[in-house]
Amino acid sequence: MPLRLSQATLSLRASAIAAPAYDRAALAPGIVHFGPGAFQRAHLASFVDTLLATDPRWGIAAIALRSAGQARLLAEQDFLYVLAELDDPMRYRVLGALTAYTAAPADPARAFAHLEHPAARLITVTVTEKGYCLGADGRLDPAHPDIAHDLAHPAAPQSLAGWIVEGLARRRDLNLPPPIVMSCDNLASNGSKLRAATLDLARGQGRGDLVDWIASEIRFPATMVDSITPASDDALRDRVAAATGLIDLAPVQRESFAQWVIADDLGPEAPDLAAAGAQLTSDVHAYEQAKLRLLNGAHSALAYIGLARGHATVGAAMADAALAGFIARLMREGRRADLAPGKGPRHPGLYRHAAAPPAQPRGDAPPRPDRRRRLAQTALSPAGAHRGPARARPPHRAPRCRRRRLDAFRGRCGAPRREARRSDGRQAAAVCRRLHRHGGARRAAVPQVDGNISARPRRRAALSRRARGRL
């Protein structure tokens, strides 16, 4: 009979699952992490879990800026949870790197205690791009409600930048060592942007001495993170219980590949993340470009073309043999055009994204629409809006070559009218606009859509025809 996961029950199932290879009672809270969502628990925490086997100084104290999230469930499990790696066969591993989970709005004093702990030497962040409260210019937006609040009330922060600024101020006042502040979000130049936001807020609060101290003492290394992390669901919880004999109400899952690239500017007091599998480099930007051009670019092409071919999910689109073949060729040609020796960066592991078609359905169960990312999410995601030109641009940048490639694809496998009409009108219109912006189409031909047109069949059909015509 399955047992609820905890420190006590884990020992009873030690033979059935990989468990932490260290004494969790001896861990020090060396890392304070903002934004303990599924990606952080599946990605960053797995690297740290490996590191803790040889260096117990780097336990993770997590701080949630908005809601308690899964704090209660994890506390009931002694902050243990299962990581399922989507491979063939599936691999299961219990992670024990998390030592505390605090919801900052509910218990700000405890959150500050994590930041003020003498052992804390690394502050990491995964709050998504919108959590940085940046404006269109990439700098801190003083009109954002959270930033406006933190400018007026520095000691009671609400924003990420506010918590970092106040936490650093308290550490300086206590004469504690300056920590490293590391963004691990999927945000280009994330280190410099977080540094600028932190300095801008401290400057806006009138803390001139603190600004100088942060500028001279605090490192904000750039990073690039990569691992596909599907949302957890009941099916995952059932698989974990069946495979391990443990009931975990807060498991996470990701693909077996995980990459963490960090600027080699951490200083002597930083954890040895390279020993845990992270890559240290002098050029994080090169890895960002490889990911944008080869992985994110292929995902965008999959979404735009897949929608026009009548597919709703990534799994369904990749089951389309002609489309999957086109995406694979797009990635191979992208590697040759942008990353070939002599024309692009040379780094170990840089070509991983071209090794296989992206988003190939993984796992031990067939994909279902409710268990796979929908193509519309990829096509219309905020990341796509900000990185559209890089993501949608094929390897050869000339619009004429792009049109030839898409025309050739259409000629080989077509886009049946009856399938294209099944696309929602709003999706079709948005795809039209995206293809226009990155494909050189005439603006006059792109319809402007207001309101919900899904109930207007004639308009929906017309928009679907326009989307299909651009492919």
Side-chain angles (χ1 to χ4, degrees):
M1 180 178 178
L3 302 172
R4 178 70 185 275
L5 174 61
S6 69
Q7 191 67 48
T9 59
L10 179 59
S11 61
L12 302 176
R13 295 288 189 267
S15 61
I17 187 171
Y22 47 86
D23 180 6
R24 296 186 72 229
L27 297 182
I31 300 174
V32 178
H33 183 83
F34 286 101
F39 181 80
Q40 180 269 342
R41 292 197 295 122
H43 182 273
L44 182 150
S46 69
F47 285 87
V48 174
D49 189 80
T50 300
L51 175 66
L52 290 174
T54 57
D55 190 346
R57 296 177 297 164
W58 304 104
I60 302 172
I63 300 176
L65 293 179
R66 294 301 177 194
S67 64
Q70 295 188 313
R72 180 182 60 81
L73 295 177
L74 287 166
E76 292 173 354
Q77 300 178 176
D78 299 322
F79 302 107
L80 294 167
Y81 60 92
V82 174
L83 167 63
E85 294 187 10
L86 305 179
D87 211 333
D88 187 15
M90 293 270 285
R91 295 198 298 267
Y92 301 93
R93 169 184 169 195
V94 173
L95 301 187
L98 202 63
T99 62
Y101 192 129
T102 301
D107 195 349
R110 189 162 184 254
F112 277 124
H114 295 321
L115 291 166
E116 296 168 9
H117 198 289
R121 303 301 296 272
L122 175 62
I123 299 173
T124 53
V125 175
T126 52
V127 295
T128 74
E129 186 170 348
K130 66 180 181 180
Y132 290 75
C133 304
L134 305 180
D137 59 354
R139 300 298 293 263
L140 193 71
D141 180 8
H144 191 285
D146 290 347
I147 300 303
H149 173 276
D150 291 351
L151 287 169
H153 308 284
Q158 292 184 354
S159 69
L160 169 67
W163 276 97
I164 291 176
V165 169
E166 183 62 18
L168 293 176
R170 295 187 181 206
R171 289 187 67 87
R172 188 188 66 152
D173 293 344
L174 293 170
N175 292 317
L176 293 172
I180 301 164
V181 181
M182 182 187 299
S183 168
C184 300
D185 276 299
N186 192 21
L187 175 68
S189 304
N190 51 19
S192 60
K193 288 180 179 177
L194 181 56
R195 181 180 188 273
T198 302
L199 292 172
D200 286 349
L201 183 60
R203 191 176 295 112
Q205 292 172 341
R207 298 173 160 185
D209 291 345
L210 180 61
V211 171
D212 294 339
W213 183 78
I214 293 173
S216 62
E217 299 293 334
I218 305 299
R219 300 171 187 265
F220 291 83
T223 69
M224 191 282 289
V225 295
D226 182 19
S227 191
I228 298 173
T229 308
S232 301
D233 54 14
D234 289 338
L236 172 63
R237 286 181 275 273
D238 292 342
R239 288 199 299 271
V240 167
T244 68
L246 294 168
I247 298 174
D248 181 1
L249 300 184
V252 291
Q253 59 183 338
R254 64 165 169 81
E255 64 172 326
S256 58
F257 176 88
Q259 187 174 32
W260 190 6
V261 181
I262 306 171
D264 193 4
D265 183 32
L266 299 180
E269 300 301 321
D272 187 6
L273 294 172
Q279 296 169 260
L280 302 184
T281 178
S282 61
D283 189 4
V284 174
H285 178 71
Y287 288 86
E288 291 177 340
Q289 289 303 300
K291 182 179 178 183
L292 288 169
R293 298 288 175 85
L294 298 180
L295 184 65
N296 293 359
H299 281 169
S300 293
L302 187 71
Y304 301 148
I305 300 173
L307 282 171
R309 288 177 61 77
H311 302 306
T313 66
V314 172
M318 285 304 297
D320 182 333
L323 178 53
F326 172 76
I327 295 298
R329 289 192 296 276
L330 189 70
M331 294 182 75
R332 285 195 297 270
E333 293 177 23
R335 176 177 57 182
R336 288 197 298 268
D338 282 343
L339 302 175
K343 294 186 178 181
R346 300 184 186 185
H347 293 281
L350 194 60
Y351 304 108
R352 169 260 167 184
H353 301 301
Q360 181 70 34
R362 299 176 175 91
D364 55 3
R368 298 201 317 260
D370 61 330
R371 289 173 54 194
R372 297 292 172 185
R373 182 177 177 87
R374 301 188 70 80
L375 291 175
Q377 291 177 271
T378 300
L380 306 179
S381 66
H386 290 287
R387 302 192 188 95
R391 295 180 66 185
R393 181 186 300 126
H396 307 293
R397 295 172 178 79
R400 182 180 304 171
C401 181
R402 172 162 55 251
R403 288 195 297 269
R404 282 202 305 268
R405 181 172 300 146
L406 293 177
D407 286 346
F409 171 75
R410 184 186 180 195
R412 284 194 298 271
C413 56
R417 185 181 299 266
R418 60 181 177 84
E419 291 186 357
R421 282 178 176 166
R422 290 204 296 267
S423 297
D424 182 271
R426 288 168 296 178
Q427 295 175 3
V431 171
C432 278
R433 291 194 295 271
R434 183 68 60 80
L435 288 173
H436 155 68
R437 288 197 295 271
H438 311 313
R442 291 183 297 110
R443 183 171 296 275
V446 180
Q448 299 299 315
V449 180
D450 297 314
N452 183 357
I453 66 165
S454 61
R456 296 155 61 185
R458 293 175 62 184
R459 182 67 164 160
R460 182 174 67 248
L463 290 171
S464 295
R465 285 195 298 273
R466 287 177 185 251
R468 186 176 65 252
R470 301 197 186 287
L471 295 173

